[in-house]
Amino acid sequence: MVVNFLVSGLLAIMIFYSFGIAINVHRTLDKENAGKLLRKLFPIYFLWGIVISITAEIIYLLEGLNTQAFIMAIIVIGYLYSRQTLVPKLNKNRDLANEGDEKSKKIFNSLHFQSVAINLIQMLLLALILFI
């Protein structure tokens, strides 16, 4: 099935981005340049996640695989929330934290944890889809 390639491909992209790109950007670049690069990459990463997830969801619906379609809908919502809500809040609070605002640093850390948790849950859901 084509949809299995989409789902497994998306899972591979997420694993590579999370454990390859993001970590190594911080290890390789100074804090300022790492931040600039990730601010460019994350919206694109989330956009591709949205496109691939919606495509897979539509295919599952057309094939009558409602459970898989429902799980993909949850994944889409996670991407939309991350891209449209979390990223702007993360950027704002990172900027304020870099200016010395301690409250914004705590907010950033909480938002970052939320972003990582969503990403991990999405990966687990994609793996689940591949095994049902």
Side-chain angles (χ1 to χ4, degrees):
M1 288 184 182
V2 170
V3 72
N4 287 339
F5 289 112
L6 289 172
V7 171
S8 58
L10 182 57
L11 180 57
I13 290 167
M14 293 179 79
I15 292 169
F16 177 69
Y17 191 86
S18 299
F19 300 104
I21 302 286
I23 289 173
N24 284 303
V25 164
H26 286 291
R27 288 181 183 163
T28 306
L29 300 174
D30 60 82
K31 187 176 180 180
E32 181 181 343
N33 286 315
K36 286 180 184 179
L37 179 59
L38 290 175
R39 281 184 186 211
K40 295 288 184 186
L41 293 178
F42 270 113
I44 296 166
Y45 167 72
F46 291 133
L47 182 60
W48 275 106
I50 291 165
V51 170
I52 295 169
S53 297
I54 288 174
T55 303
E57 181 182 0
I58 291 168
I59 293 169
Y60 281 132
L61 286 170
L62 292 173
E63 293 179 352
L65 299 170
N66 295 329
T67 301
Q68 290 88 335
F70 178 74
I71 295 170
M72 288 309 301
I74 293 169
I75 292 167
V76 170
I77 290 167
Y79 276 121
L80 286 168
Y81 176 74
S82 294
R83 187 175 197 270
Q84 300 304 120
T85 302
L86 280 180
V87 167
K89 288 181 180 182
L90 281 161
N91 290 343
K92 175 186 169 191
N93 284 286
R94 172 57 94 190
D95 290 343
L96 293 171
N98 287 341
E99 294 172 4
D101 185 340
E102 287 300 316
K103 182 178 177 186
S104 293
K105 183 177 182 179
K106 289 179 183 177
I107 293 170
F108 173 84
N109 289 337
S110 174
L111 292 169
H112 183 263
F113 176 80
Q114 188 178 27
S115 176
V116 169
I118 290 169
N119 207 46
L120 287 173
I121 290 167
Q122 288 172 312
M123 285 190 262
L124 291 172
L125 290 173
L126 288 168
L128 175 66
I129 286 175
L130 292 171
F131 289 102
I132 55 175

